[in-house]
Amino acid sequence: MSESKTTADIAKQLGGKKCIKRAYSLLGPAPKNLFGPKATTMPCYNEDGQELDAAHPTEEYDVNHGDKKLKWCGDPENVLIVKKIDAETVQPFIKCASWLVQEKNLNVFAEMPVFDEDSIKNDKSFASVFKKLQVYTHTTPIDLIICLGGDGTLLYAASLFQHSMPPVVPFHMGSLGFMTSHQFETMEDTLTNVLTGQASLMLRSRLRCIVSTANRPASTNNDNAESYPDKEFHPTSCMVTPSTDCCKNPEESDKTFLVLNEVSIHRGTSSCLCNVDLFLMERQITSVQGDGLVISTPTGSTGYAVAAGASVVHPQVPSIMVTPICPHSLSFRPLIVPAGAQLKLAVSENARAGVNISFDGRDTMQFNKGDTLTIRTSTHPTPCVCRSNPFDDWFDSLSECLLWNTRLSQKKIQSNLSK
């Protein structure tokens, strides 16, 4: 079964113009709309021009940008289960892995720490399935991800895929679970719908952050991982790499991070103010003086950013949030800029100390004078499988997890006047 239309086919449709760079649209990355090796939200065709998913024709999915239906350009084969290292997730992991192997005949992968858990490897009833599990590496072409944990587990799973990310089904087994809307009690029905293409995706945009050290300017164009001058995009090439070593340019020492929530610039343990220059599309718009700055995605607007005073933004709104942390100015209000904008930060010349940068609260590094941080929306979002649809899921999470606008109802005035 062949893949979807090639770049050359798309170029013919555009009048012979060659598509050499990828971009992000409301429908996901373009021109080739793939999430991992086989998942997409656009129709897939074979060499004869026939749509592969004949059971669910394209007409059902046209125009409706808010509800992106999952399509498979081939039968999913490899499933990665990412679990929180916790006793609570052991039995769900065993049940999920057993069902995928025995009922669906799929290849199930897990990270090495999972194989070292005594409660899993010593379970005699799970022994036959345990032997069939495979150790996940960063070169494994994964078709589907299953998360057993909370929001932190989903953030960790996203950090494993620093380029094209397969669809992820997050089951709620954490504390808050704002992004993990699925209940494990319905695991079999949920995964059956996903594997047969009967599911909707919420495309959560990510930020590509490029840190360039002194005397090595950061590239302003799309980097090698997102530019394809003369060849078709290959979804499995360098698509899963550790965040700290992601696709370094051999001629430069730039470090690249993809974040799902936010990148935060803060003073760390220093007693000095953060003093950082902020540029938007190469124009300096302000100098940030305060405890720091949060640059977040719409998904991250309900995390660190909202605690710092940012607006709550739906994940499918194409935008970037710029939120100061305790600014030393009463007029420094949070900003929302277009997703296509490029932000750049640098420590001010008159700063008394450097700052720290944290990426999704995990990787932290020192940021000194002469270093630059370039931020833009990545072409590779995190495609989360919805429980119902992108809007109901999000508002349910707002109400259930953040208790949004929850208060006692105003009482009706009872008249005591006689009629």
Side-chain angles (χ1 to χ4, degrees):
M1 191 174 289
S2 60
E3 288 188 351
S4 58
K5 288 187 176 181
T6 63
T7 306
D9 295 330
I10 299 174
K12 290 180 182 179
Q13 294 179 358
L14 297 177
K17 296 180 181 179
K18 186 176 283 188
C19 301
I20 62 173
K21 291 185 178 180
R22 291 168 61 76
Y24 183 78
S25 70
L26 290 176
L27 294 176
K32 195 151 188 179
N33 182 253
L34 282 176
F35 307 108
K38 298 177 181 178
T40 181
T41 56
M42 303 295 284
C44 302
Y45 300 93
N46 59 21
E47 295 177 354
D48 298 327
Q50 297 176 337
E51 189 171 351
L52 297 179
D53 192 2
H56 308 99
T58 307
E59 286 74 16
E60 296 182 18
Y61 311 131
D62 283 346
V63 181
N64 190 357
H65 300 316
D67 196 6
K68 301 170 185 62
K69 299 294 184 180
L70 170 64
K71 281 179 166 287
W72 295 104
C73 294
D75 294 332
E77 299 174 351
N78 300 331
V79 179
L80 170 65
I81 302 180
V82 180
K83 68 178 290 293
K84 181 173 62 174
I85 304 301
D86 188 300
E88 181 185 356
T89 60
V90 169
Q91 289 305 316
F93 173 83
I94 291 175
K95 181 178 180 180
C96 183
S98 299
W99 184 80
L100 291 171
V101 172
Q102 296 173 344
E103 299 295 330
K104 297 300 180 180
N105 196 29
L106 296 174
N107 302 318
V108 176
F109 294 81
E111 293 186 284
M112 196 62 217
V114 176
F115 289 83
D116 295 332
E117 290 191 63
D118 292 336
S119 52
I120 292 179
K121 66 182 181 181
N122 296 332
D123 190 320
K124 295 181 179 180
S125 63
F126 186 59
S128 60
V129 176
F130 184 77
K131 294 178 181 178
K132 297 180 181 180
L133 299 184
Q134 302 179 53
V135 178
Y136 165 75
T137 66
H138 294 295
T139 58
T140 305
I142 297 297
D143 300 319
L144 178 68
I145 307 169
I146 298 173
C147 282
L148 305 177
D151 292 342
T153 306
L154 178 57
L155 289 174
Y156 172 72
S159 72
L160 297 177
F161 294 80
Q162 291 289 302
H163 288 79
S164 179
M165 183 174 180
V168 54
V169 185
F171 287 101
H172 175 43
M173 295 180 186
S175 302
L176 187 62
F178 189 87
M179 295 185 288
T180 54
S181 57
H182 295 277
Q183 300 300 319
F184 191 76
E185 290 74 16
T186 61
M187 180 269 297
E188 294 184 9
D189 291 338
T190 298
L191 294 184
T192 298
N193 290 336
V194 172
L195 294 172
T196 56
Q198 298 296 296
S200 299
L201 294 179
M202 178 186 290
L203 302 184
R204 296 181 179 272
S205 64
R206 295 192 284 178
L207 297 178
R208 179 169 292 275
C209 308
I210 304 175
V211 180
S212 181
T213 55
N215 302 322
R216 288 184 174 88
S219 172
T220 56
N221 299 320
N222 283 354
D223 52 88
N224 294 337
E226 299 183 347
S227 300
Y228 308 92
D230 297 305
K231 61 182 179 180
E232 180 185 355
F233 168 63
H234 194 283
T236 60
S237 61
C238 195
M239 76 173 188
V240 281
T241 51
S243 59
T244 52
D245 298 313
C246 174
C247 285
K248 290 185 181 178
N249 189 325
E251 299 179 358
E252 299 178 356
S253 63
D254 294 352
K255 292 185 178 180
T256 303
F257 304 82
L258 251 66
V259 298
L260 176 57
N261 262 2
E262 77 278 313
V263 51
S264 58
I265 298 90
H266 53 93
R267 59 190 180 95
T269 59
S270 173
S271 60
C272 300
L273 282 176
C274 284
N275 195 342
V276 178
D277 295 332
L278 175 62
F279 298 81
L280 176 66
M281 303 303 289
E282 301 299 328
R283 168 182 171 169
Q284 183 175 350
I285 57 174
T286 190
S287 290
V288 180
Q289 298 183 80
D291 280 357
L293 188 71
V294 177
I295 310 293
S296 62
T297 64
T299 294
S301 69
T302 52
Y304 194 174
V306 75
S311 297
V312 177
V313 181
H314 190 276
Q316 293 191 171
V317 176
S319 57
I320 301 175
M321 268 59 68
V322 181
T323 308
I325 305 172
C326 298
H328 278 221
S329 170
L330 295 177
S331 60
F332 194 172
R333 309 306 302 161
L335 298 176
I336 300 179
V337 300
Q342 177 175 282
L343 297 168
K344 187 172 75 173
L345 295 101
V347 177
S348 300
E349 285 297 323
N350 58 347
R352 297 184 180 181
V355 297
N356 289 340
I357 306 179
S358 297
F359 302 91
D360 270 346
R362 300 184 60 86
D363 302 303
T364 301
M365 61 184 301
Q366 187 70 25
F367 193 60
N368 301 309
K369 290 183 180 179
D371 300 343
T372 58
L373 170 62
T374 305
I375 303 172
R376 63 173 180 272
T377 300
S378 171
T379 62
H380 300 296
T382 295
C384 291
V385 175
C386 300
R387 183 179 60 186
S388 51
N389 63 67
F391 302 102
D392 288 345
D393 285 11
W394 190 69
F395 278 103
D396 286 345
S397 294
L398 277 182
S399 300
E400 296 170 7
C401 300
L402 299 187
L403 303 178
W404 180 67
N405 197 31
T406 299
R407 56 152 289 172
L408 296 175
S409 298
Q410 187 180 44
K411 292 182 178 180
K412 181 181 178 180
I413 296 178
Q414 301 292 335
S415 176
N416 59 359
L417 297 178
S418 59
K419 295 183 179 180

